[in-house]
């Protein structure tokens, strides 16, 4: 099957030398891409900048900004059976990018930010994706309720929710603790390495895909 995975942070440029970004290392998404490939599937990994090696037997499309990630996803989504959105995409980007390095002047500097495209939120409509749609929800605090709101609003089949304020889990760690939020129920998984968790999540997502197809 063709499977799309997004991973990593995006970088939103402010000027030629500065950008807005976040703490995503890409580990969760890369482990998922590797586990889908290990299970014999054809994987396209669309990733923001990370320090990770591309997993074996995974097609790789590097991007930098949320807009670039949106263009890449929009181009490839139509041929995918499953799409998993693990990337930490910036919700806002600078309204303008300065052509030259911004010089120090005055005691404060105000940046105007504008919304980025919501990749996961546009998968069903306007992009028309009919495959199995899996999102993540990164919350600071108990994530289930907000994940359920995202599941409904973004028309997902499953949202994998993590509390990114818990030390040792979430952003830039080797482990994670997640709650699986389905339309009709919720399931808490025990903490695990991102490697082991990815294999479990891949089995779960493939089973869900089979169930949804029949
Ligand atoms: O990369 P790691 O260091 O391994 O960390 C893993 C992780 C914490 C990044 C990962 O487990 C995770 O939670 N990824 C989603 C991060 C996020 O941005 O969550 P969100 O709740 O802000 O977004 C909800 C969903 O919408 C996500 O599937 C996100 O990919 C998607 N989204 C968000 C904004 C946007 N403009 N486009 C999107 O597609």
């Amino acid at each position: 099957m063709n499977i799309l995975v997004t991973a990593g942070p995006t970088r939103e440029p402010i000027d030629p030398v500065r950008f807005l970004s976040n703490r995503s290392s890409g580990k969760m998404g890369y482990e998922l891409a590797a586990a889908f490939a290990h299970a014999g599937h054809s994987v396209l990994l669309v990733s923001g900048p990370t320090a990770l090696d591309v997993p074996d037997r995974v097609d790789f499309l590097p991007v930098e900004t949320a807009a670039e990630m949106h263009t890449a996803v929009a181009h490839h989504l139509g041929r995918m059976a499953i799409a998993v959105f693990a990337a930490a995409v910036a919700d806002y980007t600078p309204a303008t990018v300065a052509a030259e390095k911004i010089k120090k002047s005055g005691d404060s500097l105000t940046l105007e930010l504008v919304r980025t495209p919501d990749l996961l939120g546009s998968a069903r409509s306007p992009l028309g994706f009919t495959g199995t749609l899996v999102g993540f929800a990164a919350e600071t605090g108990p994530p289930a309720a907000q994940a359920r709101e995202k599941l409904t609003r973004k028309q997902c089949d499953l949202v994998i929710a993590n509390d990114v304020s818990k030390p040792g889990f979430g952003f830039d760690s080797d482990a994670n603790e997640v709650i699986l939020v389905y339309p009709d129920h919720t399931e808490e998984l025990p903490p695990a390495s991102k490697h082991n968790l990815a294999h479990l999540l891949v089995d779960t997502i493939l089973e869900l895909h089979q169930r949804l197809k029949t």
Side-chain angles (χ1 to χ4, degrees), residues 153-177:
R153 180 164 46 86
K154 302 190 183 198
Q155 299 179 67
C156 298
D157 298 303
L158 166 65
V159 167
I160 301 164
N162 36 200
D163 176 352
V164 291
S165 64
K166 280 196 176 177
F169 300 123
F171 284 101
D172 200 16
S173 62
D174 290 328
N176 210 357
E177 184 181 30

Side-chain angles (χ1 to χ4, degrees), residues 24-28 85-91 116-120 135-138 150 154 162 164 170-172 176 194:
S24 170
S25 63
K27 287 176 190 171
M28 191 70 253
F85 290 75
V89 185
D91 289 322
T116 56
D118 183 344
L119 286 65
L120 179 61
F136 270 74
K150 284 176 184 172
K154 302 190 183 198
N162 36 200
V164 291
F171 284 101
D172 200 16
N176 210 357
K194 284 181 180 169

Side-chain angles (χ1 to χ4, degrees), residues 42-62:
S42 171
V43 183
L44 176 65
L45 175 61
V46 178
S47 175
T50 77
L52 303 175
D53 292 332
V54 178
D56 288 344
R57 301 189 306 278
V58 165
D59 291 328
F60 184 62
L61 216 171

Side-chain angles (χ1 to χ4, degrees), residues 37-179:
H38 182 79
H41 297 284
S42 171
V43 183
L44 176 65
L45 175 61
V46 178
S47 175
T50 77
L52 303 175
D53 292 332
V54 178
D56 288 344
R57 301 189 306 278
V58 165
D59 291 328
F60 184 62
L61 216 171
V63 296
E64 188 134 335
T65 63
E68 285 172 19
M69 192 174 273
H70 185 265
T71 302
V73 166
H75 186 73
H76 292 281
L77 194 61
R79 61 183 177 85
M80 300 293 162
I82 298 174
V84 182
F85 290 75
V89 185
D91 289 322
Y92 291 89
T93 191
T96 55
V97 182
E100 305 288 337
K101 182 182 169 197
I102 298 172
K103 302 270 184 283
K104 272 197 290 286
S105 69
D107 289 337
S108 67
L109 173 71
T110 303
L111 279 180
E112 187 192 351
L113 304 180
V114 294
R115 284 291 294 266
T116 56
D118 183 344
L119 286 65
L120 179 61
S122 56
R124 294 290 189 215
S125 171
L127 296 178
F129 181 61
T130 56
T132 299
L133 186 61
V134 180
F136 270 74
E139 310 296 344
T140 48
Q146 288 172 82
R148 182 158 298 288
E149 187 277 322
K150 284 176 184 172
L151 176 97
T152 308
R153 180 164 46 86
K154 302 190 183 198
Q155 299 179 67
C156 298
D157 298 303
L158 166 65
V159 167
I160 301 164
N162 36 200
D163 176 352
V164 291
S165 64
K166 280 196 176 177
F169 300 123
F171 284 101
D172 200 16
S173 62
D174 290 328
N176 210 357
E177 184 181 30
V178 302
I179 300 176

